[in-house]
């Protein structure tokens, strides 16, 4: 458990940013992870006054505040209308309802954990992260995922409503475990993106052309690097990446029949 | 910071630290239904409602509850009673430690589901909603049955796959046994009453924590505690210099213990990562944590012995000291060879028999440490009573052994120690080792103050008492006609840093596996138990039999395959039958067995004939597998228990027990045995141990281990009740002035048919007369120990679905058929079985304790050591196939341990039928896929 000397809810974004820049301070998201750290924090910063708990629907995009909980993502009608069960598939295996009721989107996005189901789900949707680091910026989440933590404040995630079909897959030891690997595909009108995460490195996203032949689809996995950790080996991750990719493409009906004779 | 919160509709204003978590805030303010089971947001035990929503109070800051409304189970007593009643009817309250969190989440599930006036809910939705609530006792099926029944009372239809009700029909000839009354502690548990060790600890108790060794093997060169001691709020810092220099063992076994006396409370030699270096006690957790960081230690780091294969005769010794001694000649050791125990026994001529076999196979199997993960962590508090005696209140399975062990550890007279066992949040063997008691005990002795230790989940893993890692080689031969002629089994067992249960568990790996085929011509069992620099292993449900049965029951299938014979047929041909002494089973007879019926029934229920061996469906492979298992009922001639039963002055009974109910329902089962004997209802019996076993008051009982409570203590209860009946009849005769032989008792009245006519005296009258002095006060206490340990039997059959592209295995259907003799309480037997099967499935598929190269444990939290959730078990169906054991109370044998033994071999055999034979546990998707690729 961490220790903290002070707990503040500043009114302005500027104040929050300045306060958070000091090293022993930290922004409090859902605390699911922070509470497991042994940091000696000076000031814990709460973002309540920024009103980031809402899901805002616009004609072309959905904006998710950083304090939106994982449960809100699952239960959001706005997201369901565009993405169907996609977010549910990605998020429901995360621990349990009690956990998801307080774990925040912003916490997941800022932390950029290798195993993140959230980032893998958001990445192929062409989503953008709104951050503040002295000024407001919009960054594609696939780019943000690769960026170092710079004590910026995550404000929201903006998802364009371009999606035509999307699918989320993962393999876990038990139903609520971390993924050994996760994979998401989203197809919009003219583009298809493939994201693979928990490799165990953070999600990487690749534009792919679909429909695609099975033999070519298998080769796509070579664009991703994999590693070993306690949960799974590099080799196993590569194997299941292939398996999940073919499964996902098949379910999306994006596999072309092989025409060559073999 | 000042916060104002509404807790259960009451406004509370408090000043709180900015880093205080809600769970601590709530417990400090007396809301003790909120339980702690991990530090990693995984277990769900601390679930409360924050503004009506389920949250984990362990990860919500108290300051964030400001101006919000919190509800704990204390504020939802009506709902708790309604839901708890359904859970209790299934016996699915068990230890109860996870009940408050579960019920809180059931209540929020009900609100969420019913807010849109839904009238249909799928079972899968229920499982998914509650997946974040872990339970280690029940295996979840009972919960699901209970919740479905509860929701039905709200007019909701439950769709989808529900575990069928497999309860036995009650036996009409019997009054109180083969019946399933709810547990006597049910209401207390499901309503969240403060009944566990940590709930009862005095608020002023010093908080005790341990400094763990960072090295698997090291000597403390110097240790400086001055800075830690100087911290305001620190009461003491103890090192090896402060503890008695007299070795002892923490294995809770009957004296003389099979275990060597090979440890000190603290020592300058550290033998595994986590081995305590120092004990710190202070006024609160924060200051103690701080003090731990201020202790300066210089270590001389030594090369550890980590590999079980290279420990024996290694030049590096885990115990080079000279003062480690044994007290039990039956368990010789040679610690200068790292050898804790070794031996061999042979019945018949194995070599000669194997020569005559048409088929001989030899295979080696490997099982890892497993952690019991009782939901209640190891917890103890201690204090001195006003007369200077040490009182230990602890979450233990063995209060009487703890008394001896702690007296030994502290080198004080045993009469100066008393032990209290309150309600226990699960044990599964882990609390048959004195893991946590000695640390607060020595703090209390040194400071005179109450002291408490509450292990973190990480400590439970790293310095607990896991299952022994074993490597087992089985050589087995058979002739063409399907007759097994000989089995040769060698076990290499890893006891870890200390002897503890190492010498005993290894025996069961041979006796309880080979005896399944105990009537074949020849059997040999040999073994070595070695020290290594890993956490010392202890007792885990199954106690070595689990490992041995995984090996033998896998090997039987491998042999069958070699012989091109069906594995069920090979078993039918060779299984243990009723009759005289079984050489490998201590030459004991088998007086009761329905093993053959269990096998037949399991095959029918899983639809074996149609499904064996495997089928491909939509690119996935569905396969079935089965296994047989046995265990014992108590330790022959060693386990001892006594009971005391009294007629009260209001004509009811008091049953005084020393037995340790650790959540199984033993207190209730023993009351049922008493009620049957005394011809009364169990409501007429007050059970003393319900509110705690106190070693000063309770009659001696070895404790909850070796599957002994129903069988051994049950007989002690039966004998005590019979003796009381005789005493009562005698006193009734005296009161009525008739001859004893003329008196009949029907449970309510004493009726004497004399030549002068009929006389009658009610039990109530007898009771108050005894209180008035005209007759004797009536009580009886008898003890019991058994010259035999009759084995229960079980058959497990499983259908799995394997994804050949990922190696992922799903359990579709699991059938367990159990012969436990007479099931005293069929619902409690069933829940034991469902829970044991769930643990067995976890062990088979993903419970994976791993170490790095330096001996540091890697899977030491619920994030990395995965136990099954309610979404991982498919449907588990348990059936009872009773037999009648003449030496047990009303024909009962044991049930508690055997139930974990089947899943590993049954699943391994199913996987083999799907094309992958694995011989090491756990059988993770990665191992399965690697094997599939090899076979391609």
């Amino acid at each position: 458990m961490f220790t903290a000397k002070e707990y503040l809810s500043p009114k302005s974004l500027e104040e929050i940013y300045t306060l958070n820049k000091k090293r022993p301070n930290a922004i409090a998201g859902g605390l699911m992870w922070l509470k497991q750290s042994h940091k000696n924090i000076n000031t814990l910063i709460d973002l309540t006054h920024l009103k980031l708990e809402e899901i805002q629907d616009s004609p072309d995009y959905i904006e998710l505040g950083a304090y939106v909980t994982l449960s809100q993502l699952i239960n959001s009608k706005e997201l369901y209308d565009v993405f169907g069960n996609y977010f549910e598939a990605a998020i429901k295996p995360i621990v349990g309802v009690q956990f998801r009721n307080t774990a925040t989107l912003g916490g997941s996005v800022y932390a950029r954990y290798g195993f993140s189901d959230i980032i893998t789900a958001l990445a192929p949707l062409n989503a953008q992260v709104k951050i503040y680091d002295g000024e407001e910026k919009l960054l594609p989440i696939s780019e943000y995922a690769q960026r170092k933590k710079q004590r910026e404040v995550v404000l929201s995630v903006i998802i364009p409503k371009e999606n035509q079909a999307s699918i989320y897959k993962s393999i876990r030891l038990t139903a609520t475990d971390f993924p050994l690997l996760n994979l998401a595909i989203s197809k919009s009108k003219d583009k298809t993106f493939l994201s693979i995460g928990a490799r165990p490195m953070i999600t990487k996203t690749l534009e792919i052309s679909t429909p695609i032949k099975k033999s070519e689809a298998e080769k796509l996995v070579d664009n991703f690097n994999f590693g070993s950790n306690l949960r799974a080996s590099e080799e196993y991750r590569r194997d299941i990446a292939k398996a999940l990719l073919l499964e996902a493409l098949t379910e999306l009906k994006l596999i072309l029949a092989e025409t060559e004779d073999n | 910071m000042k916060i104002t919160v509404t807790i259960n509709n009451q406004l509370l204003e408090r000043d709180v630290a900015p880093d205080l978590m809600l769970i601590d805030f709530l417990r400090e303010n007396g809301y003790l239904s909120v339980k702690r089971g991990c530090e990693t947001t995984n277990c769900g035990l601390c679930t409360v409602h924050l503004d009506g929503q389920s949250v984990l109070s362990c990860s919500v800051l108290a300051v964030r509850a400001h101006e919000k409304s919190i509800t704990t189970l204390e504020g939802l007593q009506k709902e708790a009673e309604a839901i708890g009643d359904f859970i209790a009817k299934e016996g699915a309250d068990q230890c109860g430690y996870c009940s408050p969190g579960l019920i809180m989440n059931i209540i929020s599930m009900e609100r969420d589901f019913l807010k849109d006036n839904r009238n249909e809910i799928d079972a899968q939705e229920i499982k998914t909603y509650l997946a974040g609530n872990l339970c280690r006792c029940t295996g979840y099926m009972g919960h699901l049955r209970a919740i479905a029944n509860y929701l039905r009372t709200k007019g909701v239809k439950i769709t989808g796959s529900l575990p069928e009700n497999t309860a036995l029909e009650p036996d009409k000839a019997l009054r109180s046994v083969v019946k399933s009354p709810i547990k006597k502690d049910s209401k207390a548990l499901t309503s969240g009453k403060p009944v566990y060790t940590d709930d009862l600890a005095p608020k002023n108790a010093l908080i005790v924590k341990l400094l763990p060794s960072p090295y698997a093997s090291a000597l403390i060169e110097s240790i400086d505690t001055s800075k830690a001691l100087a911290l305001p709020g620190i009461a003491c810092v103890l090192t090896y210099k402060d503890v008695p220099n007299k070795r002892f063992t923490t294995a809770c076994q009957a004296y003389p213990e099979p275990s060597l006396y090979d440890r000190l409370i603290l020592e300058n030699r550290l033998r595994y990562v986590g081995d305590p270096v120092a004990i710190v006690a202070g006024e609160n957790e924060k200051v103690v944590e701080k003090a731990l960081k201020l202790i300066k230690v210089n270590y001389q780091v030594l090369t550890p012995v980590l590999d079980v294969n290279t420990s024996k005769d290694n030049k590096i010794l885990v115990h080079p000291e000279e003062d480690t001694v044994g007290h039990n000649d039956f368990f010789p050791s040679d610690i200068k060879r790292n050898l804790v125990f070794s031996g061999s026994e042979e019945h018949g001529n194995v070599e000669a028999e194997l020569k005559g076999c048409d088929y001989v196979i030899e295979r080696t199997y490997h099982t890892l440490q497993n952690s019991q993960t009782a939901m209640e962590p190891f917890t103890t508090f201690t204090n001195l009573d006003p007369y200077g005696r040490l009182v230990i209140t602890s979450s233990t399975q063995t209060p009487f052994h703890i008394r001896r062990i702690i007296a030994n550890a502290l080198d004080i007279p045993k009469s100066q120690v008393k032990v209290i066992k309150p309600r226990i949040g699960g044990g599964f063997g882990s609390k048959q080792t004195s893991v946590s008691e000695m640390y607060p005990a020595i703090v209390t002795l040194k400071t005179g103050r109450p002291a408490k230790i509450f292990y973190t989940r990480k400590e439970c893993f790293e310095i607990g008492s896991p299952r022994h890692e074993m490597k087992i080689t089985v050589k087995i031969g058979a002739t063409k006609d399907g007759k097994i002629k000989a089995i040769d089994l060698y076990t290499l067992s890893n006891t870890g840093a200390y002897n503890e249960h190492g010498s005993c568990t290894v025996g069961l790996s041979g006796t309880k596996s080979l005896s399944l085929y105990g009537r074949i011509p020849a059997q040999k069992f040999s073994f070595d138990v070695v020290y290594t620099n890993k956490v010392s292993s202890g007792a885990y449900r199954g106690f070595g039999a689990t490992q041995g049965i995984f090996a033998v029951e896998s090997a039987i299938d491998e042999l069958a395959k070699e012989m091109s014979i069906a594995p069920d047929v090979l078993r039918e041909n060779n299984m243990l039958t009723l009759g005289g002494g079984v050489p490998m089973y201590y030459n004991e007879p088998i007086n009761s067995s329905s093993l053959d019926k269990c096998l037949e029934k399991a095959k029918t229920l899983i639809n074996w004939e149609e499904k064996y061996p495997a089928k491909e469906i939509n690119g996935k492979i569905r396969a079935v597998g089965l296994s047989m298992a046995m265990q014992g009922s108590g330790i022959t001639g060693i386990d001892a228990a006594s009971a005391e039963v009294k007629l009260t002055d209001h004509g009811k009974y008091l049953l005084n027990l020393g037995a340790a109910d650790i959540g199984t329902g033993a207190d209730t089962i023993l009351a049922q045995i008493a009620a049957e004997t005394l011809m009364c209802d169990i409501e007429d019996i007050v059970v003393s141990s319900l509110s705690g076993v106190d070693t000063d008051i309770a009659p001696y009982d070895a404790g909850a281990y070796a599957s002994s409570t129903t069988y051994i203590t049950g007989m002690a209860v039966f004998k005590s009740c019979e003796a009381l009946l005789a005493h009562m009849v005698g006193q009734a005769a005296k009161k009525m002035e008739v001859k004893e032989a003329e008196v009949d008792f029907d449970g309510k009245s004493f009726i004497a048919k004399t030549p002068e006519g009929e006389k009658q005296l009610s039990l109530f009258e007898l009771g108050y007369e005894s209180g008035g002095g005209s007759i004797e006060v009536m009580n009886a206490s008898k003890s019991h120990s058994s010259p035999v340990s009759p084995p229960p039997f079980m058959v497990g059959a499983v259908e799995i679905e394997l994804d050949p592209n990922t190696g992922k295995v799903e359990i579709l259907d699991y059938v367990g058929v159990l012969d436990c003799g007479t099931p005293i309480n069929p619902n409690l037997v069933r829940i034991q079985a469902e829970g044991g099967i769930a643990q067995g499935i976890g062990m088979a598929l993903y419970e994976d304790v791993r170490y790095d190269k330096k001996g540091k444990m890697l899977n030491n939290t619920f994030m990395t050591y995965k136990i099954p959730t309610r979404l991982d078990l498919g449907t588990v169906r348990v059936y009872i196939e009773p037999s009648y054991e003449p030496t047990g109370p009303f024909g009962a044998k044991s049930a508690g341990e055997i139930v974990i033994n089947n899943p590993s071999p049954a699943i391994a055999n199913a996987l083999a039928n799907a094309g992958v034979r694995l011989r090491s546990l756990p059988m993770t998707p990665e191992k399965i896929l690697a094997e599939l690729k090899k076979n391609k």
Side-chain angles (χ1 to χ4, degrees), chain B residues 508-580:
Chain B
L508 276 70
S509 76
T511 54
K512 302 279 199 292
S513 58
L514 293 172
S515 298
L516 281 168
Y517 305 92
R519 304 208 185 276
I520 64 171
Q523 291 188 323
K524 186 180 168 193
F525 170 42
S526 51
F527 55 86
D528 290 309
V529 185
V530 296
Y531 279 128
T532 60
N533 290 107
K534 287 181 173 172
V535 58
S536 158
S537 282
Y540 184 177
R541 194 179 216 167
F543 203 74
T546 315
Q547 296 95 310
I549 287 171
F550 168 62
V552 167
E553 284 299 280
S554 294
I556 292 288
D557 262 47
E558 296 211 56
L559 175 68
K561 193 178 176 193
E562 202 79 9
M563 297 170 71
S564 304
I565 176 173
D568 52 318
V569 175
L570 188 59
R571 286 186 174 85
E572 281 157 5
N573 287 350
N574 296 284
M575 72 168 66
L576 181 62
T577 51
L578 286 171

Side-chain angles (χ1 to χ4, degrees), chain B residues 400 641-646 653-659 667 670 674 685-701 713 716-717 720-721 779-782:
Chain B
F400 288 89
S642 54
E644 183 187 19
V645 58
K646 307 175 185 181
Y653 301 102
L654 187 129
L655 179 59
N656 188 14
L657 294 172
D667 284 337
L670 294 170
I685 298 172
V686 170
V687 180
S688 70
S689 48
L690 210 60
S691 49
V693 170
D694 176 335
T695 55
D696 275 3
I697 297 161
Y700 179 84
D701 192 294
T713 314
V717 168
S720 302
C721 291
N779 54 32
S781 179
K782 292 283 168 195

Side-chain angles (χ1 to χ4, degrees), chain B residues 20-61:
Chain B
L20 182 72
M21 284 297 175
L22 189 54
I23 184 174
D24 299 304
F25 175 74
L26 290 170
R27 285 191 65 84
E28 277 168 22
N29 282 288
Y31 300 95
L32 296 170
S33 73
V34 186
K35 297 289 186 269
R36 191 193 314 271
C38 75
E39 298 78 45
T40 53
T41 69
N42 291 97
C43 72
L45 265 61
C46 65
T47 303
V48 300
H49 294 172
L50 182 66
D51 282 347
Q53 267 201 331
S54 277
V55 299
L56 296 169
S57 59
C58 73
S59 45
V60 174
L61 284 169

Side-chain angles (χ1 to χ4, degrees), chain B residues 24-163:
Chain B
D24 299 304
F25 175 74
L26 290 170
R27 285 191 65 84
E28 277 168 22
N29 282 288
Y31 300 95
L32 296 170
S33 73
V34 186
K35 297 289 186 269
R36 191 193 314 271
C38 75
E39 298 78 45
T40 53
T41 69
N42 291 97
C43 72
L45 265 61
C46 65
T47 303
V48 300
H49 294 172
L50 182 66
D51 282 347
Q53 267 201 331
S54 277
V55 299
L56 296 169
S57 59
C58 73
S59 45
V60 174
L61 284 169
V63 291
R64 280 190 161 173
H66 179 52
E67 294 186 339
K68 293 196 171 166
S69 154
I70 299 162
T71 315
T72 69
L73 202 62
E74 282 87 350
L76 292 169
Q77 289 289 291
K78 255 175 76 183
E79 291 85 344
E81 192 174 337
I83 297 167
D85 189 43
F86 282 94
I87 293 176
K89 278 178 188 155
E90 296 291 330
D93 40 349
Q94 284 289 284
C95 85
Y97 198 72
C98 73
S99 285
L102 174 67
I103 292 175
M104 288 306 291
N105 210 26
I106 294 173
I107 293 168
S108 90
M109 174 182 77
E110 182 188 340
R111 285 180 194 156
D112 273 357
F113 284 175
L114 301 187
K115 68 176 178 228
D116 312 321
N117 294 319
R118 293 178 55 188
N119 51 16
E120 238 181 59
I121 291 167
D122 194 87
Q124 192 66 20
E125 287 181 85
I126 297 172
K127 288 193 208 174
T128 305
Y129 198 101
L130 302 173
N133 292 89
L134 295 181
C135 162
R136 193 61 154 167
C137 291
T138 65
Y140 304 116
M141 299 298 141
H143 289 167
L144 189 54
R145 285 191 296 266
I147 294 162
N149 287 339
Y150 167 71
L151 288 175
R152 283 186 191 116
T153 65
K154 309 272 167 170
V156 178
K157 191 182 163 198
I158 309 296
T159 57
S161 164
L162 275 172

